Amino acid sequence: MADRGTESVALTPPHASHFASRLGRIAVAGFALAAFSGAAGLIVQATRLGHSNAAALERAERDVRAEFEDLRSSLAAAARAVTGRGDLLGRPFTDTGAGRTLFEIVTFETTRSGAPDLAITVYSAAGTPVAWSGRPSEIPPDRVAGPPSLFVAPGPLGLRLVHVEPVVVRPAKSTPERRVGAVAAERVLSRSRGVGRAASEFILSSSVAPVVLRTRYEGAGETNRPGMFRIRSPSGETLIEAEVVPAELERARLSARRDLVGIVLAILAGTITVVAVQLLDWRRRAARCAEYTRATWLILAALAVGRALLWFATPARWTARPLFSPASYASSSVAPLLRSPVDFLLTALTVLGVVALLADAVRRLRLAYRRKRQAADGDRLRFVLAQFAAGTAVAALVFGYELFLNDTIENTTLDVLHFSLHPWSSARLALMFGLLCFHAAVVWAGVLSLFGALAFWRIDRGRLPGLVYLFGTWSVALAVVTVVVDQSGWHVPLVPVSLVTATCMIAAYLAPRAMARFRHASQALRLFSLFLALAIPALLMYPSVLHFADVATRRLIEAQYAVQAQNHPQELQARLSQSLHQIDRIPALPDLMRSLGPPSEGAAQTDTAFLIWRQTDLAEFRLTSAIELYGADGALVSRFALNFPEYAPSAQKWQRTACHWDVFGEAAPFGSAERRMLHAERAVCDQRQTVGAIVVHVMLDYSALPFISSKSPYFEFFRTPASPQEGMPGGDVELVIYGWGGLPEYTSGTGAWPIGEELFRRIYVGGRQPFWTTIARRDVPYRVYVTNDRAGIYVLGYPVIGSFGHLVHVAELATLAGLAFAVLVVLGAVLARLAGREPASGRHLLREVRASFYRKLFLAFVAASIVPVITLAFAIRIYFAAILRADVEAEAARTAAVAERVIEESAALQQRGPESLASVSDDVMVWISQVIDQDVNIFAGPRLLATSERDLFASGLLPTRTPNAVYRAIVLQRLPSFVGDDEIGDFRYMLAAAPVRLAGRDAILTVPLALRQQEIEREIDEFDRGVYLAALVFILLGAGIGLSMAERIADPVKRLTRATRRVARGDFDARVAVKTADELKKLVDAFNSMAAELKHQAAELERTHRLEAWADMARQVAHEIKNPLTPIQLSAEHLRRVHDDRHRPLSPVLEGCVDSILGQVRLLRQIAAEFSSFASSPTPRPASTDLGELVEEVIEPYRAGLASRIRVDVNVPATLPKVFVDRTLLGRALTNILENALHAMPGGGRILVTGTRQDGRVRLDIRDTGVGMDDEAVERIFEPYFSTKAIGTGLGLTIAKRNVELNGGTIDVRSEKGEGTTVTITFPYA
Amino acid sequence: MCCTVLLVAIVSAEGPLDRRLAAIRVAFLKNDASLLAEQFPARDKVYLALPDFGVRSFLGPGPLRALLERLAAETSTTAFVFDATDQGRPTQASDSVWIKARWTYRDLSTGSVRLDELHFSIRRNPEDGEWRIAELRASR
């Protein structure tokens, strides 16, 4: 089983004990950490919550009192800091200089305090706010005019602690103190948001448990219960009643216990995971199959236990956070395991871990069967059956996963097509990372299945029948499963499934080669391959995700949105019925009606109508509605409307009706058009006497549908706590309702789709049958769902993602995969470190980079492309964001200006004249808000005068104080317009303001632009995504160029390195070829020249060594020959002399012998002399020599003897420059050359000696017409003892060459067989 | 005994809508998440706005089931009454009704008793004629 050939090492007993001890250490450390955490948690819990409820209550009380004291002292300090500048209050309010200074002071104090919720108001002696900061509440006049006080008041943003400090000045020492105003500083004690919250209940967080706060007006100080305590002001007045409910304490204890258990379980799960990593080591070293299998099972068990522990570790109360919330995601098919995004991620990681574990097992299985594989051609039936089974399993796996994907997308409110990291959403990222892991796990499980099925079979590569059988069988299996799935009615996209399955098949077939390459790959390549293993499945699954997201959106539109839109009129009717019933149940309605006086200044008040409206479903569902209350005389006395302007209030007169509701539909003017409306009215009767009447209007306004985004920033603010999660399917759906005339009556977005003739005919002819189609609007295609009823045509659509959008998605998906991969690598490294192993990847990678010029170059190129591209991208992004913002600011200013003109024009149209401030009522504001499609508020001085959102202001949910920045800009700085940011709590939005002239005095018009701001943010986000894609493309381009450049630069360097190594080994034939013509070419040329030179020098060196060896030998031979020659010669001569002396001449035979001996002795002596000459190392004694003379000297002795046979011509001009040579040595060289020439011409011939100048040298050519030599002989001509003659030592030319070169000359021989030989000698000038 | 009475209530209800309303009431009174889940469409998303449970969204069957289980685990219904006036019922045959119920329950973690108004939008499935909850909003 084990791969003995590669990495397997048997776990010998010492290893086993070491391994066991390490496992033990990890387990002990983990359990110790868990125990320590548990103990520490218990101690913290005991410290925080106390040992008993009484102790906990005491601590909670201490916390609350301390917080109150902190708040009180900070408020007192802030108020006193401002009262110090009381002198400014003595000046008139119109003194803008003083006002500005006061504003600066309060702003400075607010900023200095560091409390973002601090609000300071400076009141004049008349109780008018003259300067303020933050969002202060309205304080009762008696508090402003009264003594220093500290009190608690419910404010727009929650319960507020208010400190009021009178401002007293003494103009002169002699004059008495004079009160000139007051300063109120306030901070939020406890935030309360949402219309549905009980107004009397405020919750304050403490370190123990939530504390319920009640103001004294809500019954504080009246009862005493356990856990209740009172906070008093310094004057002893009860400020507030606080209560810690015992059940809350129990809940806090339970939560703390669950948190603690969660932490301990998480630590244990971590420990088990580290143990699993350690077990991996064991498995890697396992030598036997059983051991390997056991280790694998243990790791699987550890993974399962770890996952289960983490499942139990999540405390239920964490479900409020999106990451742990089932509302974000909970599977309907595998509900218990996948109940939140974090569950999804952890399960995905576990599954991926299991697949990775099996991958190694399958690889080893294949290796184990390496020698036992059967030929696929041998038993074709079994082969086909096995592959069919594997193919079916993989196809089923992929189809199953597609269904799981569908289940995931249908059961999440997170946008699975939002791959960008911005805006950061931990829940979405957890789901995305989980999906990436699942994609990879499924694809690689498929590859492993096919790969495993191939492990037992041998397919000859390149043999077509085998491949056809293999892929054919797999494809048939896929087709069979596809048919089964199709028949089952499961809607699975076939193209993506086929793509994924085909990829699995190809990957399984190529896996052996890929694995071999992977084993020998560099660390960088391995990491990149692993990244691709995560990224490619994600890209393969992208079409499926897209398909299911689209299906989910369509289903939502068909099943919910369209039905809600069509049913909206009926729903309104139902809500109205319920509202009427609720009105009927209001106690003492007749008394309320009686209490209403005549309208002041001719305008109806809003409070009473609002009080009634607030208690109905009209408020609950924020329906576009109005409630009008009429007095017994039929005059309108109170009216409240939400987004419902009244166009002719003065003409309104109630006509007497019955005491029960009369409901009917009518058409009312709404801006320039008419809208359908439900009208309900009844008289308010008391003992059969009519005391007034109540009229309710509900307008058909589709903005109230839950899937339509509100245009009101205020409404967005109040909806925030439980708003739909970002990017839920269908989040970008628009609704347009057309009348049967084809004109749009309602548009939720920025425009309506054009309904052409053909489409209208299709709608008309098709009856009530809804259908899907595609319509383009402003060149953007939309998928739209068209349905209709008698009332009109309902079209709901969403934009179709174009090619650019897909490209952006792919880029973001790849980036997300990169991030997920980095997280996995880091996680693996941390686990490995915890398991006591050295994480190899990073270190190896660094080492590789350090050692590789190529990689450094590549990284440098990538860095060089990243830095400017990212800088440029940021610059572009900032530039365009600034342009967008500037555009919006300009638009905001225009909107404010339009609103200003509309107000002034409306006043003129109503012919009320500018005298009456009342002409600017909430009705006018609502009307204007309909015109400009934005909310509008009018502030007069510091307070709200009229608004299109009266309900929110009137209910105390919004502060009625003029925003500080707006007041300063418009009133104090006299700016023509102002565009800035404002905030309600944590919700920031853009606000435009402009001055308006009303009733002869200045007022301020404000337009909150939350919707436009959202649009800008969306546009900026879209732009960011485009910039990101461009940046990524450029970076990839840079990386590609970098790769190519690094290749171009590093490749010659690599070749040079290899060639240098060859040269170092003595292979002087190593040469490098490059195609470039740059410095690298020069370097390579230099290297090649160097190699050639080295080769030449090596040859020279070799020759020199050889010559030295030969010279040494010659010296020894000469010595050994010369020594016996003398006695031989002497003996022969003695023999002849003795016989001559005795006059007995030698016999002819003997004489011949003696002559022969003496002749041979002479010859041997001559040879020895030559050897000796060759062996000697003469020292040249150069002198200026006339080469012509020297040649004549050498040739002259031969002329006489050769005259008949050989002609010798000398043509050495006397003008030839002299040379600096040793005459003797050169003479000897010339003699040897001449001798050789003569020997080459036994039958006669010609010798020509020519002297010429050539390139600053003197050249001497000695040419003969002898027998010549072949090339081989020419090559060896200067070698010692080489001769073409029958006699001779073969040293003549060797000596000649040596002598010439000793004199600084060169010698060369050219010869042609049968033509003769030319010896050329050159010398430099003397 | 209690359950038997409730089941009798369901069986004795007049039409399909009445039976559905009775079943919803039983599901709430029994604190039975499974039974409650059956009152919603099996596959389609539904709109839920339950601020106390941090939900205001269109939920699929999985999140819906999880939410209902949480609701059943954390609360104990003491009373559940549909609006006696039946104001939400359409006067003519329709595929949608809007009905309000008063739901009194004990918060099991704090022990406090609360009263919520639940606004149901109940729709008839055109395929099988079954009435199911399509929308549920809570207010106090």
Side-chain angles (χ1 to χ4, degrees):
Chain A
M1 183 76 186
D3 179 8
R4 290 167 194 278
T6 52
E7 56 193 332
S8 211
V9 178
L11 200 64
T12 52
H15 282 111
S17 64
H18 171 71
F19 175 76
S21 76
R22 188 180 277 186
L23 263 187
R25 278 205 303 274
I26 292 169
V28 167
F31 278 103
L33 183 63
F36 174 76
S37 304
L42 285 174
I43 293 167
V44 169
Q45 190 183 332
T47 313
R48 188 166 75 87
L49 296 173
H51 294 288
S52 64
N53 279 1
L57 286 172
E58 195 180 320
R59 186 182 169 85
E61 185 177 343
R62 208 165 52 236
D63 281 358
V64 173
R65 287 189 190 284
E67 186 159 349
F68 259 83
E69 184 51 33
D70 280 352
L71 281 175
R72 191 201 62 76
S73 56
S74 73
L75 292 177
R80 283 190 194 117
V82 180
T83 53
R85 298 303 309 272
D87 55 314
L88 293 167
L89 274 170
R91 300 184 193 175
F93 175 62
T94 50
D95 182 349
T96 53
R100 210 176 294 173
T101 309
L102 273 175
F103 263 99
E104 281 166 10
I105 289 169
V106 293
T107 306
F108 172 75
E109 287 301 327
T110 306
T111 312
R112 194 167 66 98
S113 74
D117 59 337
L118 174 67
I120 303 174
T121 306
V122 181
Y123 291 91
S124 66
T128 310
V130 291
W132 56 92
S133 63
R135 300 308 298 267
S137 57
E138 295 301 329
I139 295 171
D142 59 323
R143 290 284 189 185
V144 175
S149 61
L150 180 74
F151 61 95
V152 171
L157 300 173
L159 198 61
R160 301 169 80 88
L161 186 64
V162 187
H163 176 93
V164 179
E165 187 82 26
V167 183
V168 178
V169 294
R170 189 195 295 267
K173 283 188 179 177
S174 56
T175 55
E177 284 185 339
R178 186 166 61 93
R179 183 177 178 130
V180 292
V183 174
E186 53 190 299
R187 283 185 66 182
V188 177
L189 254 178
S190 160
R191 288 187 183 278
S192 72
R193 291 169 70 180
V195 181
R197 269 248 168 263
S200 60
E201 222 176 59
F202 295 91
I203 305 295
L204 180 68
S205 303
S206 77
S207 64
V208 178
V211 180
V212 179
L213 302 180
R214 291 187 200 91
T215 60
R216 57 179 306 195
Y217 304 106
E218 304 292 339
E222 292 168 4
T223 55
N224 262 325
R225 285 195 299 273
M228 184 184 288
F229 55 92
R230 292 184 191 88
I231 309 281
R232 296 178 193 281
S233 67
S235 60
E237 194 181 351
T238 298
L239 281 178
I240 204 157
E241 185 181 86
E243 182 180 8
V244 181
V245 181
E248 288 287 356
L249 273 182
E250 282 308 314
R251 189 179 188 171
R253 283 184 199 285
L254 188 66
S255 295
R257 260 200 304 278
R258 282 178 180 163
D259 287 355
L260 194 57
V261 170
I263 290 168
V264 170
L265 287 177
I267 292 172
L268 289 178
T271 306
I272 286 173
T273 312
V274 175
V275 165
V277 173
Q278 191 60 43
L279 286 170
L280 274 175
D281 251 3
W282 177 34
R283 192 177 83 139
R284 193 165 55 83
R285 291 161 185 255
R288 292 187 304 277
C289 177
E291 195 177 6
Y292 184 89
T293 310
R294 200 162 53 240
T296 305
W297 278 115
L298 276 175
I299 297 166
L300 284 171
L303 286 176
V305 171
R307 176 69 194 92
L309 284 176
L310 283 175
W311 191 82
F312 285 110
T314 313
R317 73 187 181 92
W318 290 8
T319 53
R321 299 170 191 183
L323 185 60
F324 298 94
S325 170
S328 301
Y329 165 76
S331 170
S332 61
S333 50
V334 273
L337 282 178
L338 303 172
R339 59 178 185 185
S340 69
V342 78
D343 260 354
F344 188 82
L345 175 62
L346 291 173
T347 305
L349 284 171
T350 310
V351 172
L352 188 61
V354 170
V355 172
L357 205 62
L358 294 178
D360 187 65
V362 175
R363 184 182 69 87
R364 291 201 176 207
L365 179 77
R366 188 172 183 279
L367 283 173
Y369 275 84
R370 192 170 31 188
R371 298 181 198 289
K372 303 176 201 167
R373 281 183 215 146
Q374 295 179 41
D377 291 341
D379 191 348
R380 194 161 281 167
L381 180 64
R382 280 185 59 203
F383 173 75
V384 166
L385 285 176
Q387 300 314 315
F388 182 79
T392 307
V394 172
L397 174 75
V398 176
F399 272 108
Y401 182 65
E402 293 282 335
L403 293 175
F404 171 75
L405 208 54
N406 184 28
D407 176 80
T408 303
I409 292 169
E410 273 193 347
N411 288 292
T412 182
T413 49
L414 303 167
D415 187 356
V416 289
L417 287 178
H418 190 131
F419 303 110
S420 167
L421 298 177
H422 176 77
W424 183 268
S425 158
S426 53
R428 179 166 49 79
L429 284 178
L431 194 78
M432 287 294 178
F433 280 10
L435 277 174
L436 289 177
C437 293
F438 268 127
H439 294 337
V442 167
V443 169
W444 292 111
V447 174
L448 281 179
S449 305
L450 298 176
F451 183 62
L454 279 176
F456 307 99
W457 302 92
R458 192 177 65 248
I459 300 170
D460 296 331
R461 292 200 186 285
R463 282 208 60 193
L464 195 59
L467 291 180
V468 168
Y469 269 105
L470 180 69
F471 282 97
T473 310
W474 284 347
S475 303
V476 168
L478 172 65
V480 168
V481 176
T482 304
V483 169
V484 170
V485 169
D486 194 47
Q487 293 298 314
S488 308
W490 290 323
H491 301 291
V492 176
L494 294 181
V495 174
V497 167
S498 306
L499 194 68
V500 171
T501 317
T503 307
C504 289
M505 293 172 186
I506 294 167
Y509 178 70
L510 297 176
R513 267 177 280 181
M515 275 162 45
R517 283 199 174 188
F518 186 82
R519 266 202 300 278
H520 299 108
S522 64
Q523 192 65 19
L525 194 60
R526 283 182 179 206
L527 284 172
F528 185 65
S529 306
L530 289 173
F531 162 69
L532 288 182
L534 191 68
I536 289 174
L539 295 175
L540 284 173
M541 291 291 181
Y542 171 68
S544 297
V545 173
L546 195 69
H547 170 83
F548 288 121
D550 191 57
V551 167
T553 306
R554 286 184 182 214
R555 282 178 60 84
L556 192 61
I557 289 173
E558 290 172 10
Q560 282 286 350
Y561 293 1
V563 181
Q564 282 179 350
Q566 278 186 291
N567 286 344
H568 192 53
Q570 293 173 48
E571 185 181 357
L572 279 187
Q573 200 179 342
R575 303 273 180 239
L576 176 63
S577 294
Q578 285 163 349
S579 300
L580 300 182
H581 182 61
Q582 284 160 336
I583 292 171
D584 290 341
R585 286 193 299 200
I586 293 175
L589 187 61
D591 295 341
L592 192 67
M593 296 299 293
R594 278 198 201 96
S595 68
L596 289 169
S600 61
E601 296 177 359
Q605 51 103 331
T606 58
D607 293 353
T608 311
F610 173 70
L611 192 69
I612 295 172
W613 180 84
R614 198 181 169 186
Q615 298 180 56
T616 65
D617 277 1
L618 305 177
E620 181 63 38
F621 293 92
R622 278 186 63 83
L623 298 178
T624 300
S625 55
I627 288 188
E628 293 166 357
L629 303 179
Y630 294 86
D633 59 351
L636 180 70
V637 287
S638 182
R639 180 175 192 275
F640 174 79
L642 180 74
N643 300 331
F644 200 145
E646 179 55 75
Y647 293 94
S650 58
Q652 197 84 357
K653 201 78 175 173
W654 172 64
Q655 304 298 319
R656 193 168 294 273
T657 56
C659 295
H660 55 81
W661 288 107
D662 185 13
V663 182
F664 54 89
E666 64 180 9
F670 196 80
S672 60
E674 284 195 335
R675 285 268 183 96
R676 281 177 287 160
M677 185 175 77
L678 289 171
H679 178 110
E681 65 174 39
R682 80 166 168 93
V684 180
C685 305
D686 189 19
Q687 296 174 347
R688 297 188 178 180
Q689 185 188 353
T690 302
V691 294
I694 183 163
V695 175
V696 180
H697 289 141
V698 182
M699 186 171 277
L700 189 63
D701 185 359
Y702 293 92
S703 304
L705 288 171
F707 64 93
I708 303 289
S709 301
S710 169
K711 289 184 173 63
S712 165
Y714 307 129
F715 187 62
E716 288 299 319
F717 166 64
F718 289 111
R719 198 157 75 161
T720 303
S723 60
Q725 282 86 346
E726 52 93 16
M728 68 174 196
D732 51 358
V733 172
E734 291 181 27
L735 166 68
V736 180
I737 296 168
Y738 301 83
W740 278 108
L743 291 174
E745 291 181 350
Y746 172 81
T747 305
S748 71
T750 53
W753 295 285
I755 293 192
E757 282 283 326
E758 194 181 336
L759 181 62
F760 190 78
R761 198 176 304 116
R762 187 175 170 189
I763 296 166
Y764 195 76
V765 173
R768 296 277 180 265
Q769 198 60 38
F771 60 89
W772 282 95
T773 185
T774 302
I775 308 178
R777 190 180 74 198
R778 293 188 214 117
D779 297 331
V780 178
Y782 284 78
R783 287 297 290 163
V784 296
Y785 181 70
V786 184
T787 182
N788 68 84
D789 59 17
R790 280 185 303 174
I793 302 162
Y794 305 83
V795 182
L796 297 103
Y798 57 94
V800 178
I801 301 171
S803 310
F804 182 74
H806 288 305
L807 272 179
V808 171
H809 279 169
V810 167
E812 288 174 346
L813 189 57
T815 309
L816 202 67
L819 184 67
F821 177 69
V823 170
L824 286 176
V825 167
V826 170
L827 188 69
V830 169
L831 285 174
R833 174 68 74 182
L834 287 173
R837 286 170 54 191
E838 286 289 320
S841 310
R843 194 164 296 172
H844 282 182
L845 191 64
L846 269 179
R847 205 176 300 150
E848 273 178 13
V849 171
R850 238 183 256 156
S852 165
F853 175 61
Y854 172 82
R855 289 188 178 86
K856 281 182 191 168
L857 260 180
F858 172 67
L859 288 179
F861 272 111
V862 171
S865 64
I866 282 177
V867 172
V869 164
I870 288 189
T871 310
L872 194 65
F874 265 109
I876 290 172
R877 188 235 181 258
I878 291 168
Y879 175 71
F880 279 100
I883 286 181
L884 270 173
R885 190 158 281 277
D887 280 353
V888 171
E889 285 184 3
E891 189 184 318
R894 277 197 301 275
T895 306
V898 168
E900 179 190 350
R901 279 200 297 277
V902 170
I903 287 171
E904 288 164 358
E905 291 296 323
S906 74
L909 282 172
Q910 289 175 42
Q911 295 183 335
R912 291 182 177 182
E915 293 79 18
S916 173
L917 264 176
S919 64
V920 184
S921 63
D922 290 348
D923 274 335
V924 176
M925 290 297 105
V926 172
W927 175 65
I928 293 169
S929 77
Q930 304 288 347
V931 173
I932 64 170
D933 209 18
Q934 300 284 353
D935 285 326
V936 192
N937 309 312
I938 292 278
F939 292 89
R943 293 199 174 95
L944 181 75
L945 178 66
T947 173
S948 60
E949 292 282 354
R950 173 59 67 185
D951 65 318
L952 299 176
F953 286 100
S955 58
L957 294 169
L958 284 178
T960 53
R961 182 69 54 79
T962 311
N964 164 300
V966 170
Y967 187 86
R968 291 171 68 185
I970 303 295
V971 174
L972 300 179
Q973 295 172 22
R974 303 280 181 197
L975 295 180
S977 66
F978 167 83
V979 178
D981 288 336
D982 197 15
E983 58 188 17
I984 311 172
D986 300 328
F987 180 70
R988 290 185 73 82
Y989 59 95
M990 194 178 279
L991 185 76
V996 285
R997 190 85 181 149
L998 293 169
R1001 51 184 280 204
D1002 291 325
I1004 306 167
L1005 176 142
T1006 65
V1007 182
L1009 294 160
L1011 194 70
R1012 186 67 186 113
Q1013 185 175 332
Q1014 284 169 0
E1015 276 174 28
I1016 300 173
E1017 281 164 8
R1018 199 164 42 239
E1019 280 172 29
I1020 289 177
D1021 191 48
E1022 284 294 314
F1023 183 76
D1024 280 351
R1025 296 175 77 190
V1027 169
Y1028 173 73
L1029 175 66
L1032 194 70
V1033 167
F1034 276 109
I1035 288 169
L1036 285 177
L1037 205 65
I1041 293 171
L1043 197 70
S1044 162
M1045 293 297 285
E1047 187 81 26
R1048 277 163 169 260
I1049 295 171
D1051 185 56
V1053 175
K1054 269 192 212 165
R1055 288 198 215 174
L1056 273 173
T1057 311
R1058 280 199 296 269
T1060 307
R1061 285 200 194 111
R1062 283 176 63 191
V1063 168
R1065 284 197 301 267
D1067 179 4
F1068 297 116
D1069 289 326
R1071 296 289 183 277
V1072 180
V1074 287
K1075 293 175 183 171
T1076 58
D1078 50 15
E1079 287 84 351
L1080 276 170
K1081 165 81 172 162
K1082 289 178 188 168
L1083 178 65
V1084 167
D1085 286 348
F1087 173 84
N1088 288 341
S1089 302
M1090 182 197 74
E1093 184 66 23
L1094 276 175
K1095 185 180 179 184
H1096 173 70
Q1097 285 182 3
E1100 281 297 309
L1101 194 63
E1102 189 187 0
R1103 185 173 149 267
T1104 306
H1105 286 162
R1106 209 161 54 229
L1107 283 175
E1108 279 176 5
W1110 282 331
D1112 194 43
M1113 190 191 77
R1115 197 176 299 115
Q1116 286 184 24
V1117 168
H1119 180 72
E1120 295 300 325
I1121 292 174
K1122 266 201 263 179
N1123 285 346
L1125 282 182
T1126 304
I1128 292 169
Q1129 185 186 356
L1130 288 175
S1131 296
E1133 286 173 350
H1134 183 69
L1135 180 65
R1136 180 179 278 167
R1137 198 163 46 248
V1138 167
H1139 280 271
D1140 284 348
D1141 288 350
R1142 290 177 183 172
H1143 303 289
R1144 285 190 303 191
L1146 293 170
S1147 65
V1149 176
L1150 280 174
E1151 188 61 34
C1153 290
V1154 169
D1155 282 347
S1156 177
I1157 289 167
L1158 289 174
Q1160 290 304 319
V1161 165
R1162 267 196 306 279
L1163 185 62
L1164 282 172
R1165 201 176 287 284
Q1166 187 186 345
I1167 289 169
E1170 281 194 10
F1171 270 49
S1172 186
S1173 170
F1174 173 64
S1176 67
S1177 298
T1179 306
R1181 291 185 181 81
S1184 182
T1185 305
D1186 186 330
L1187 210 53
E1189 285 179 8
L1190 184 61
V1191 169
E1192 283 299 336
E1193 273 177 30
V1194 172
I1195 289 176
E1196 191 52 37
Y1198 290 93
R1199 283 192 189 277
L1202 299 173
S1204 58
R1205 194 166 59 90
I1206 295 171
R1207 181 179 157 196
V1208 180
D1209 294 327
V1210 176
N1211 183 17
V1212 180
T1215 55
L1216 209 61
K1218 290 186 176 178
V1219 293
F1220 199 65
V1221 296
D1222 186 321
R1223 288 180 69 89
T1224 310
L1225 290 176
L1226 186 56
R1228 178 66 192 272
L1230 289 173
T1231 303
N1232 287 358
I1233 292 166
L1234 199 59
E1235 286 284 344
N1236 268 16
L1238 293 175
H1239 282 119
M1241 296 182 291
R1246 187 184 174 205
I1247 294 173
L1248 176 62
V1249 181
T1250 314
T1252 54
R1253 295 180 190 206
Q1254 188 186 41
D1255 299 333
R1257 297 176 76 93
V1258 175
R1259 173 176 169 155
L1260 201 62
D1261 290 304
I1262 300 117
R1263 184 190 299 169
D1264 64 57
T1265 55
V1267 293
M1269 293 174 287
D1270 55 17
D1271 288 346
E1272 191 186 351
V1274 170
E1275 257 185 39
R1276 300 185 59 191
I1277 196 70
F1278 292 118
E1279 281 185 17
Y1281 315 119
F1282 174 78
S1283 178
T1284 55
K1285 297 178 291 187
I1287 56 165
T1289 58
L1291 290 173
L1293 280 180
T1294 309
I1295 292 168
K1297 180 177 170 65
R1298 187 197 65 190
N1299 288 359
V1300 167
E1301 286 177 351
L1302 278 173
N1303 282 291
T1306 64
I1307 184 167
D1308 188 31
V1309 174
R1310 283 170 287 130
S1311 183
E1312 200 168 333
K1313 195 82 176 168
E1315 294 294 325
T1317 302
T1318 304
V1319 178
T1320 302
I1321 300 170
T1322 67
F1323 289 103
Y1325 299 153
Chain B
M1 179 64 185
C2 158
C3 298
T4 311
V5 171
L6 293 171
L7 287 172
V8 168
I10 296 176
V11 172
S12 61
E14 289 174 354
L17 178 59
D18 293 316
R19 279 203 294 277
R20 178 60 65 197
L21 295 180
I24 291 170
R25 184 165 169 268
V26 168
F28 269 97
L29 288 172
K30 285 176 70 180
N31 267 15
D32 187 335
S34 302
L35 195 55
L36 206 48
E38 286 173 17
Q39 314 311 316
F40 291 86
R43 288 189 60 202
D44 291 331
K45 290 191 173 183
V46 290
Y47 184 69
L48 259 80
L50 302 173
D52 283 354
F53 293 88
V55 176
R56 185 195 287 267
S57 190
F58 286 92
L59 297 185
L64 175 71
R65 179 64 191 249
L67 183 78
L68 295 177
E69 280 172 1
R70 192 180 148 207
L71 197 131
E74 293 181 5
T75 64
S76 170
T77 302
T78 53
F80 186 92
V81 184
F82 279 109
D83 196 334
T85 57
D86 231 7
Q87 296 290 329
R89 299 227 189 169
T91 51
Q92 54 187 1
S94 170
D95 288 337
S96 298
V97 293
W98 292 268
I99 295 177
K100 201 152 64 175
R102 293 166 73 81
W103 177 39
T104 312
Y105 64 95
R106 183 179 296 279
D107 184 336
L108 293 178
S109 58
T110 62
S112 58
V113 176
R114 299 185 182 207
L115 170 65
D116 274 4
E117 277 197 342
L118 297 181
H119 304 263
F120 290 91
S121 171
I122 301 177
R123 230 175 267 159
R124 180 161 48 200
N125 187 344
E127 288 165 11
D128 58 8
E130 280 289 325
W131 292 83
R132 306 266 180 196
I133 303 170
E135 197 178 316
L136 174 59
R137 305 191 203 197
S139 65
R140 191 168 295 161

